[in-house]
Amino acid sequence: MMNRNSTVYDGDEIVESTQIDVTWNEVRKTRNNALSDSDWRFMSDQSPSDEWIAYRVFLRDLPQNYDTANDAADAWNEYEKPE
Amino acid sequence: MSGPITPPLTVTTASGTPSGRPITTIKVSDGDLTISGGIATIDTSGSGGSPGGSDGQVQYNNAGVFGGDSDFTFDGTTVTIENPCYINGDINSVVAGGADFTLIARDSTGGTVQGTISMGGGADEPITLVAGEAGSDADIVLVPGSGAGKTTTQSPIDSTTTIDADVVRIGAGTSGNEITTNTTEDLVLNTNTGTNSGSITITDGANGDIDIVTDGTGVTEIQNSTTDNDTTLSVKGNGTGDSIINLNNPTKSVQLICDENQKLKVQGGVNTFILDSSSATGGITWPDGTTQITAASGGTPAGSDKEVQFNNSGSFGAESQFIWDSANDTLQLGQGIGYPRLALAGNNGYVYFKNNAVSPVTKASVGVNGTTFYIKTFPTDTERLRITTNGEWGIEGANYGTDGQVLTSGGAGASVAWEDAGGGGNVFNAELPGDTASGARYIISQSPPFGSADKTETLNASVASKPMCFPFISPASGDVTEIGVNFTTSSVSGNLYVGIYDSNSDGMADSRLCYATIASTGTGNVYQTSITGTGTLVRGTQYWYSINMDAGGIAPYLMGATTENTPGMGMGASASQDGVTFFDNAATAYAAPPASFTSSYTYGGFGRPICSLKIV
C-alpha cells in the first residue's frame, strides 16, 4: 500500500494537505516488498484465498495498468488488502 | 603766777580802752608764754628760732621743733624725695606754655632714665609710656588686681575700658610686637558692638608686610556672619599697579593678578593664562599666545549625537563607529559589517574588568603577552586559559597537555583539565543535507548510525501505551519546529505523542526537550508544527525520540522498519533476546511524554517507526 497523503498540522488545525509524488521505482520496490511478504501464503503447503490471488495479480499488473506511478499508488491505496 | 616777769619787758603802745577787755594774766611757765584776757598782739621778731637739718632740706615739725632730712630737699629748682611719696589727692601740673608733665624713673639721682610717663600739656597731646632705658628690651606691663571681686574675664584693659585714642601703637623697637591672647582664647578685633559700619584696617609701615600666620591645620578664613549675604575678599590697589594674590609654597608659586588693564592673569612659572574682562571681546589668552574670544570659538563637536570626539588633523573628528551611549554607559565600536573593531596596541595589551560592587574589588582581564592570548578571571585576575601563536591551549598557565589528551570538565567548582581520552570513539556527526525544499526536514528514523531505510513494516501503535524510545544522532543543530510520522492505517480518534529526549550521563533517555501531539485519524505523512517545549539539538549529539498513544482501544498503524532492520538495544533476559526499543515502565499510560524518563527501562520488540524532524 502506498499512501501519498501528506498532512501538516498546527495543533488541531490542518495548515497543509497535499499528496506527495512517487516514482515507478518506489512503487515497484514497495510492491516487491509486499509480494515477498505474502509469498508464504503461496507455499505448497498453503491454500491462498481468491482474494489474495487477486491482490497479488493486482500488484504485479500495476505498471502496465496505470499510466503514472501516482495513479498506481493511489489505486493500490484504495485496494482493500485481504485479511 | 609762779614768779615775776623779768625785764626787759616793754609795753610800747596802748590804744583804745583796755578796760573793757583787759589782759588779765601774762604768764610764762617753763618757757611757754600764756596771755589771757582780750586780744593781744605779740611781736616775736628776732626770736623765730633756727631751721632744722641741713641746707636745702625742707622743714617739717619734728616733735615740736623744726626738722629737715636729706631725703626731702629743695635746691631752689628741684624738689627731691628719696623715699616713697604718698599723695592723697590729685597731682596737678600747671606748666607754662603747655609743656609736658613727665614722671621719670632713673637708676640714681640724676642718673640714666629707666622709664617715663609723659602727659602732654597741650590740647590733643598724647600720653606716652616709655619702658626701660634707651635701647633696652623692657616691657610695659599692666597688672590687674587679684582680689575676690575681680571677674576672670577682666584684664588690665577689659571690656569696660574704652581707649579713645585714634591710634594705639605697640612697641617702638626692632623686635616683634605682638598682641597675644591668654591660653587658647581667640583674638577678636571688633569695630563695635551691635550695628556698625566701621571697618578694621591693618596698615603696614613703608614697604612692610602684613602677615596672617596659621599653624598646623589651621586655615585663614574670611567669613560673613550674616546669613545669605555675599562675602567679599578685596585686594585693592591704589592708583596704578596690579592687585596680586600669591599662592605659593617654598618652591612653587602661582599668582592671581588683576592688572591695571582689568585682565585677570593666572601665572605660574613661565606660563600665563589671561582672562581679559576689560571688554566683551577680551577673550581668554592661553600660554601659547592664542586667544579664544567666545566659547563658540572652541569648536563644536563633530559628527552626530553620542559620537566620541578625537583629533582629526587638528580639528574635532567623530565616527559613527565610535559611540558613547551614556544612557547605557556603553562604549560602542562599530555598527556594520566588519565591526566592531578594538585595537589594543603594544606588546602586552589587555582589557581589564573590575567589579566595584564588591569589596575588595575583584578583577579579570583578557589580553596578550607577546604572541600569547590569555584570559584571566575573577576575583584576582588569575590566568585560566592561554592560546599561543601555535594554537596551543594552556590551562592555568603553560599547561598544554600531551598529544591525544582532551579537555575534561571537573564539574561544578573545579576547573577543566587535560586528561587522556577514554571511551566513546568516533561519533557520527555528519550534517546531512535535509529536505531544504520543505525546510530542513530530517528523517531521523533513517539517519545513521541508528537509522534504517526499511519502511516496509506497519507497526500497531496501540501497543505503545507508554513512551517507547529510539536513539538518534542529531544531523543538525537548531530548534525542532516540526515532527512527522507516517500512518499506514488511521484510527477513528486519538493522537500519537512523539517526544524528544536528551541523554543522561549513561547515554539513556533523560529529560524531555519537547513533544508533538499528532492526530492519528489520517493516513500518510502527518506532520505537527505545534511543538510543546523547546527542542534545541546539537549536531552529532545523541538524543532519543519516543512514541506513545494518548488513548487505548484504538489501533493506528505506523510505517517503520521491521525489528530485524532496527538496531538492537542489546537489552533482554537472554542472549537471544531481540529488544530494539525500551519504554519507561514507570510512566503513566496514555499520558503525554513525561518530563523525565525514569530508570525503569523495559525492553520491547517494536520496530523503529518513521519519524522526521525539522531542525531550524
Side-chain angles (χ1 to χ4, degrees):
Chain A
M1 186 173 66
M2 295 193 69
N3 190 328
R4 296 197 301 121
N5 292 338
S6 177
T7 308
V8 179
Y9 283 87
D10 181 3
D12 295 332
E13 181 184 356
I14 296 176
V15 296
E16 181 183 308
S17 180
T18 59
Q19 289 197 310
I20 60 174
D21 292 330
V22 295
T23 65
W24 276 117
N25 189 40
E26 290 174 307
V27 171
R28 287 192 177 95
K29 184 177 179 182
T30 306
R31 181 203 58 181
N32 292 343
N33 286 335
L35 289 172
S36 296
D37 288 344
S38 60
D39 279 347
W40 64 273
R41 296 178 182 272
F42 293 86
M43 301 292 284
S44 58
D45 58 346
Q46 298 292 321
S47 298
S49 64
D50 292 340
E51 289 80 4
W52 269 108
I53 295 172
Y55 179 56
R56 286 171 62 89
V57 170
F58 169 78
L59 292 178
R60 289 194 189 94
D61 294 343
L62 281 174
Q64 57 265 37
N65 287 343
Y66 296 93
D67 294 333
T68 66
N70 286 343
D71 291 340
D74 291 342
W76 186 7
N77 197 42
E78 294 296 324
Y79 198 104
E80 188 171 350
K81 184 179 176 183
E83 293 293 328
Chain B
M1 178 177 286
S2 58
I5 297 173
T6 304
L9 178 62
T10 304
V11 178
T12 58
T13 302
S15 63
T17 305
S19 59
R21 296 170 58 182
I23 294 172
T24 56
T25 305
I26 299 173
K27 177 183 178 182
V28 177
S29 174
D30 296 331
D32 295 334
L33 173 62
T34 302
I35 302 174
S36 303
I39 297 172
T41 298
I42 301 173
D43 184 356
T44 61
S45 61
S47 60
S50 301
S54 303
D55 181 47
Q57 293 179 346
V58 177
Q59 300 298 291
Y60 62 98
N61 186 330
N62 185 15
V65 298
F66 286 109
D69 196 289
S70 62
D71 290 340
F72 187 16
T73 61
F74 177 66
D75 63 359
T77 302
T78 303
V79 175
T80 301
I81 302 172
E82 296 289 348
N83 285 311
C85 177
Y86 301 94
I87 299 171
N88 296 323
D90 297 337
I91 297 176
N92 296 301
S93 173
V94 181
V95 184
D100 295 345
F101 169 67
T102 304
L103 295 179
I104 303 172
R106 296 179 185 274
D107 56 352
S108 61
T109 302
T112 304
V113 173
Q114 298 296 316
T116 62
I117 301 174
S118 178
M119 291 171 280
D124 301 327
E125 289 291 328
I127 296 175
T128 304
L129 303 180
V130 178
E133 62 184 54
S136 75
D137 294 330
D139 296 327
I140 293 176
V141 180
L142 303 180
V143 180
S146 58
K150 176 184 178 300
T151 66
T152 55
T153 59
Q154 285 182 320
S155 65
I157 299 176
D158 60 25
S159 60
T160 63
T161 301
T162 300
I163 299 176
D164 291 331
D166 290 339
V167 176
V168 176
R169 181 176 292 122
I170 301 172
T174 58
S175 60
N177 305 313
E178 297 181 0
I179 299 175
T180 303
T181 62
N182 190 29
T183 63
T184 60
E185 298 298 327
D186 294 336
L187 173 63
V188 178
L189 300 180
N190 199 338
T191 56
N192 205 337
T193 58
T195 302
N196 194 291
S197 60
S199 60
I200 296 174
T201 301
I202 303 174
T203 305
D204 72 301
N207 298 319
D209 293 336
I210 296 174
D211 295 332
I212 299 175
V213 181
T214 59
D215 185 25
T217 58
V219 298
T220 303
E221 184 176 75
I222 297 175
Q223 182 185 65
N224 189 337
S225 60
T226 302
T227 304
D228 298 334
N229 272 242
D230 294 341
T231 301
T232 302
L233 171 63
S234 176
V235 180
K236 187 186 297 183
N238 188 359
T240 60
D242 299 339
S243 295
I244 301 172
I245 297 176
N246 240 332
L247 310 171
N248 58 35
N249 64 18
T251 59
K252 298 289 190 303
S253 69
V254 174
Q255 289 184 323
L256 298 179
I257 303 170
C258 176
D259 71 7
E260 55 189 282
N261 297 316
Q262 210 172 346
K263 294 180 179 179
L264 175 64
K265 299 177 180 177
V266 179
Q267 183 170 300
V270 298
N271 298 314
T272 301
F273 298 81
I274 302 174
L275 175 61
D276 187 351
S277 60
S278 63
S279 70
T281 59
I284 298 174
T285 300
W286 304 94
D288 64 0
T290 59
T291 298
Q292 181 178 333
I293 305 302
T294 65
S297 65
T300 53
S304 302
D305 185 38
K306 300 183 185 308
E307 291 180 2
V308 177
Q309 304 296 294
F310 56 87
N311 186 328
N312 185 17
S313 301
S315 300
F316 282 112
E319 263 289 342
S320 62
Q321 310 293 343
F322 190 16
I323 290 174
W324 171 248
D325 181 359
S326 59
N328 297 302
D329 290 340
T330 301
L331 180 63
Q332 177 177 319
L333 299 176
Q335 293 184 352
I337 298 173
Y339 296 94
R341 294 171 175 170
L342 176 61
L344 299 178
N347 192 35
N348 293 300
Y350 60 90
V351 179
Y352 200 48
F353 305 90
K354 290 200 301 182
N355 185 351
N356 294 323
V358 297
S359 180
V361 174
T362 58
K363 50 196 174 184
S365 63
V366 295
V368 295
N369 184 0
T371 58
T372 299
F373 174 81
Y374 63 79
I375 298 175
K376 297 181 178 180
T377 61
F378 290 104
T380 57
D381 204 27
T382 302
E383 181 177 326
R384 297 298 187 191
L385 173 65
R386 66 171 60 178
I387 303 175
T388 72
T389 186
N390 299 322
E392 302 159 310
W393 283 32
I395 305 301
E396 298 181 353
N399 171 20
Y400 304 116
T402 58
D403 185 28
Q405 285 190 315
V406 296
L407 275 180
T408 304
S409 169
S415 62
V416 298
W418 291 111
E419 291 185 354
D420 293 335
N426 292 330
V427 175
F428 185 87
N429 66 347
E431 181 171 7
L432 302 173
D435 177 6
T436 55
S438 61
R441 184 173 285 154
Y442 298 92
I443 309 170
I444 58 169
S445 59
Q446 298 186 15
S447 62
F450 304 109
S452 171
D454 178 24
K455 54 182 180 180
T456 62
E457 186 68 289
T458 55
L459 304 165
N460 185 350
S462 66
V463 302
S465 60
K466 297 177 181 178
M468 292 185 170
C469 280
F470 303 89
F472 71 98
I473 301 295
S474 180
S477 296
D479 290 344
V480 175
T481 60
E482 179 198 276
I483 299 175
V485 295
N486 183 284
F487 290 105
T488 58
T489 302
S490 63
S491 57
V492 294
S493 63
N495 296 287
L496 178 74
Y497 292 123
V498 181
I500 304 296
Y501 286 83
D502 64 9
S503 300
N504 61 22
S505 57
D506 294 328
M508 299 295 281
D510 189 19
S511 298
R512 186 193 67 211
L513 302 178
C514 65
Y515 71 94
T517 304
I518 303 175
S520 57
T521 53
T523 58
N525 294 327
V526 182
Y527 307 99
Q528 178 56 274
T529 60
S530 178
I531 306 298
T532 301
T534 301
T536 301
L537 307 182
V538 177
R539 179 171 66 95
T541 302
Q542 180 195 323
Y543 300 92
W544 299 79
Y545 71 97
S546 68
I547 62 162
N548 69 290
M549 294 301 297
D550 71 345
I554 52 176
Y557 279 71
L558 291 165
M559 180 183 288
T562 64
T563 56
E564 292 79 5
N565 289 323
T566 298
M569 290 290 101
M571 299 173 65
S574 63
S576 58
Q577 199 72 53
D578 60 351
V580 294
T581 183
F582 66 83
F583 56 91
D584 183 355
N585 202 29
T588 302
Y590 305 118
S596 297
F597 238 72
T598 74
S599 58
S600 181
Y601 307 118
T602 301
Y603 64 90
F606 198 85
R608 188 177 176 93
I610 282 177
C611 181
S612 68
L613 300 180
K614 275 189 178 179
I615 303 172
V616 179

